Amino acid sequence: MSVDRLSTTLSALADPTRRAILARLAQGETTVTELAGPFEMSLPAISKHLKVLERAGLITRGRAAQWRPCRLQAGPLRDVAGWLEHYRRFWEQSFDRLDDYLLDLQKGEPGSSGN
C-alpha cells in the first residue's frame, strides 16, 4: 500500500524533536551539529530524524565542502494547512451555532431551555 504525501508529512510532524528541528530551521539554514545542540541525543539519532523529515519533503540537505546545511521546505506544511482548513471551518461553524444557542437560552426564548 502506498502512503500518501499528507500521511508522510503528518507522521514526520508527530515527533516533538522533529517539530523542534523544523522550528529551528524556520529561522534559517544550519548544520546537523548545530541542530543537535539543544537535544540530549547523539548525532546519528538526529540524523535519523533528519532523514524522516527529508523523506517527507520538509527539509533539504545541501553540500558545501564539509558543511551540510539543512533547509526548511514549507510546501508539505502548506498541504497540511489546507487539509486542516476544512476542519477549522467546521469547528468555527459549530462554535457559532453553540454561541447562538447560548444567546437564545439567555434571552429565555421559548423552546430553547427545555422548560
Side-chain angles (χ1 to χ4, degrees):
M1 181 171 105
S2 174
V3 177
D4 64 288
R5 182 174 172 178
L6 182 61
S7 294
T8 303
T9 303
L10 291 171
S11 179
L13 294 173
D15 185 274
T17 299
R18 292 193 286 268
R19 291 192 306 271
I21 289 170
L22 291 176
R24 169 52 189 91
L25 290 175
Q27 298 171 16
E29 71 181 32
T30 189
T31 65
V32 174
T33 304
E34 290 169 343
L35 284 172
F39 304 103
E40 293 184 16
M41 61 179 69
S42 66
L43 283 177
I46 290 293
S47 288
K48 286 182 182 181
H49 284 293
L50 293 175
K51 286 178 186 174
V52 171
L53 293 170
E54 196 169 23
R55 275 193 303 272
L58 290 163
I59 68 165
T60 58
R61 292 197 268 183
R63 176 168 252 140
Q66 295 297 321
W67 195 60
R68 296 209 47 183
C70 296
R71 290 178 202 85
L72 177 66
Q73 297 295 311
L77 295 174
R78 189 173 27 252
D79 296 341
V80 171
W83 181 77
L84 288 172
E85 178 64 19
H86 167 75
Y87 296 97
R88 183 189 63 78
R89 284 190 299 249
F90 168 79
W91 282 108
E92 283 182 356
Q93 291 169 358
S94 296
F95 288 136
D96 288 344
R97 285 191 305 273
L98 177 61
D99 190 43
D100 290 344
Y101 175 73
L102 293 174
L103 287 172
D104 289 346
L105 284 177
Q106 286 177 344
K107 293 176 187 175
E109 292 187 5
S112 61
S113 64
N115 291 339

